[in-house]
Amino acid sequence: MIQVNHNFSLKEFNTFGISAFAKAYSPTNSIEQLKETLSYYRRETIFLLGGGSNMLITQDIETPVIHVLIKGIKEVYRENTTVRLQAMAGENWHEFVMYCISKRYAGVENLALIPGNIGTSPIQNIGAYGVELKDVFYSCTVLDLKTQEEKTLFLDDCKFGYRDSIFKNEAKGKYVITSVTLELSDLNLTDKYQVKTSYGAIQEELNKLNKGESIDQIAQAVINIRSSKLPDPKLLGNSGSFFKNPIINKAAYHKLLESNDDIPSYPVNDDQVKVPAGWLIDKCGLKGYRDGDAAVHDKQALVLVNHGNATGSDIINLAQFIQNQVYSKFGIKIHPEVNLIKQ
């Protein structure tokens, strides 16, 4: 049965806590209901809503909002130590990670505490602490928004890049993702799994925990690190990392080292390195910077926050100011990771 709510507040459905309204809002809890709702709005452009974590709403949404809330996790394949889990789009990402850890399925432990839902994880190719979704991705099922044809897209089909995918480019606005299948290692059957602890402060945090390098301890280390730096969206509106870490060529990096010998970097390939955007912003003296209720978080400069009544435009203006400051000081352009919703 189709549900339609008019002039519906989206404040509780976006992690920035931006006060905005949907002209029409329809939650969907099954693929059948999703199809019915798409048919109902077939003559209109729609706005798909997932976990509301990687977006910044800048105004009221004048097109119908369809909220994808389909739940379910099941094992769909197993061979030797490999297991594939299919999770429906409405499942919370972090809860899914903890489910995997409880089953001793390895591969997503470094991605603990990333906000959002399963269904939007391929769009962004979410990643943290040396791991990206593409490293464990097997496939996803999608529904064509116009024809309602269901199809499966595999790893190569999705054209994953750094915080990028086909869903942000040629397939943007074409599909709704209904499930994601990930390929993991069953540690109940093998001890030949290489954990990833070299990125960021994971090893340092593991040393504090002093309990080894099991996947549950790695997840706990990541949770501790993220909790110490990233504010809880329920307490302080934010969308996690606002900017992508810029990738620059090694020649430019070595040039920067001449005047910034402490600038960190992570290798991308033989010719490029990734530089932490948070470090660049911090070096511009902007950590904790505030303009009204829009601010740079005082513990992690990569995070922009809403202290209560900031509008989407307030956050965008702050982001543009930060971009200008970083470019002026370092000659590096940084770009938003967050999806800016403008209609």
Side-chain angles (χ1 to χ4, degrees):
M1 182 176 177
I2 301 166
Q3 297 183 49
V4 181
N5 301 277
H6 296 286
N7 197 33
F8 187 85
S9 175
L10 298 174
K11 187 177 177 67
E12 301 300 319
F13 294 98
N14 72 97
T15 60
F16 252 117
I18 300 296
S19 180
F21 289 83
K23 181 180 180 180
Y25 167 87
S26 295
T28 58
N29 295 287
S30 68
I31 291 178
E32 291 72 24
Q33 189 179 31
L34 175 59
K35 287 181 176 181
E36 289 178 9
T37 305
L38 287 172
S39 295
Y40 178 79
Y41 291 123
R42 64 186 179 278
R43 292 187 177 87
E44 300 185 62
T45 301
I46 60 163
F47 179 89
L48 292 169
L49 179 63
S53 64
N54 193 53
M55 65 179 195
L56 174 63
I57 301 175
T58 61
Q59 61 191 75
D60 291 343
I61 307 297
E62 296 298 327
T63 57
V65 173
I66 298 179
H67 201 172
V68 183
L69 299 167
I70 309 166
K71 300 276 190 169
I73 300 172
K74 64 180 180 180
E75 181 181 312
V76 293
Y77 174 88
R78 176 180 288 274
E79 183 176 351
N80 299 323
T81 62
T82 297
V83 60
R84 291 181 194 146
L85 291 183
Q86 181 187 59
M88 303 307 290
E91 289 287 341
N92 176 270
W93 174 263
H94 175 67
E95 290 176 8
F96 173 75
V97 170
M98 300 314 291
Y99 172 86
C100 292
I101 288 169
S102 73
K103 296 286 188 180
R104 300 197 72 231
Y105 297 158
V108 292
E109 57 277 0
N110 291 52
L111 304 178
L113 213 61
I114 292 179
N117 289 353
I118 287 283
T120 50
S121 62
I123 298 173
Q124 193 74 359
N125 183 26
I126 60 171
Y129 297 99
V131 175
E132 292 183 321
L133 182 77
K134 68 177 179 61
D135 299 328
V136 291
F137 183 89
Y138 180 76
S139 68
C140 64
T141 56
V142 299
L143 198 63
D144 189 295
L145 293 175
K146 290 185 177 179
T147 67
Q148 293 195 18
E149 176 190 2
E150 295 182 69
K151 64 188 298 186
T152 300
L153 300 181
F154 294 94
L155 180 62
D156 289 344
D157 298 324
C158 294
K159 299 181 181 179
F160 290 125
Y162 174 54
R163 302 298 177 269
D164 198 21
S165 71
I166 192 174
F167 304 106
K168 295 179 78 171
N169 297 294
E170 58 262 48
K172 185 175 183 179
K174 183 176 181 180
Y175 302 121
V176 53
I177 297 170
T178 54
S179 75
V180 177
T181 298
L182 302 183
E183 190 166 273
L184 307 170
S185 297
D186 186 348
L187 299 191
N188 298 295
L189 302 175
T190 182
D191 56 4
K192 295 179 179 179
Y193 173 73
Q194 186 63 50
V195 295
K196 296 179 176 64
T197 63
S198 61
Y199 201 99
I202 290 183
Q203 191 60 60
E204 181 183 343
E205 189 64 30
L206 285 171
N207 293 340
K208 291 179 185 177
L209 293 171
N210 195 27
K211 291 184 179 178
E213 295 183 349
S214 61
I215 60 170
D216 58 320
Q217 289 303 310
I218 289 173
Q220 189 59 56
V222 170
I223 290 169
N224 291 354
I225 295 167
R226 291 181 72 93
S227 297
S228 70
K229 295 180 178 181
L230 306 177
D232 184 342
K234 295 176 183 177
L235 304 176
L236 184 62
N238 75 94
S239 194
S241 300
F242 193 90
F243 295 101
K244 298 178 186 179
N245 291 323
I247 295 173
I248 62 176
N249 63 54
K250 286 187 175 179
Y253 173 68
H254 289 301
K255 181 75 173 176
L256 285 171
L257 276 176
E258 295 175 6
S259 53
N260 302 274
D261 59 6
D262 59 339
I263 185 170
S265 68
Y266 302 95
V268 174
N269 52 44
D270 290 342
D271 301 315
Q272 297 175 309
V273 297
K274 187 186 299 180
V275 177
W279 185 91
L280 299 172
I281 297 167
D282 191 9
K283 285 296 181 179
C284 289
L286 295 175
K287 184 185 285 185
Y289 177 86
R290 182 168 176 171
D291 184 2
D293 274 359
V296 180
H297 189 44
D298 58 5
K299 293 182 180 178
Q300 170 53 272
L302 194 56
V303 178
L304 304 190
V305 298
N306 174 10
H307 278 286
N309 295 307
T311 65
S313 295
D314 292 336
I315 301 292
I316 287 179
N317 290 338
L318 174 61
Q320 290 173 341
F321 172 73
I322 292 167
Q323 289 172 303
N324 291 337
Q325 293 295 304
V326 169
Y327 186 75
S328 177
K329 184 174 179 64
F330 296 103
I332 295 176
K333 292 181 179 180
I334 58 174
H335 301 282
E337 178 176 325
V338 170
N339 187 23
L340 307 180
I341 308 302
K342 302 176 182 178
Q343 288 198 321

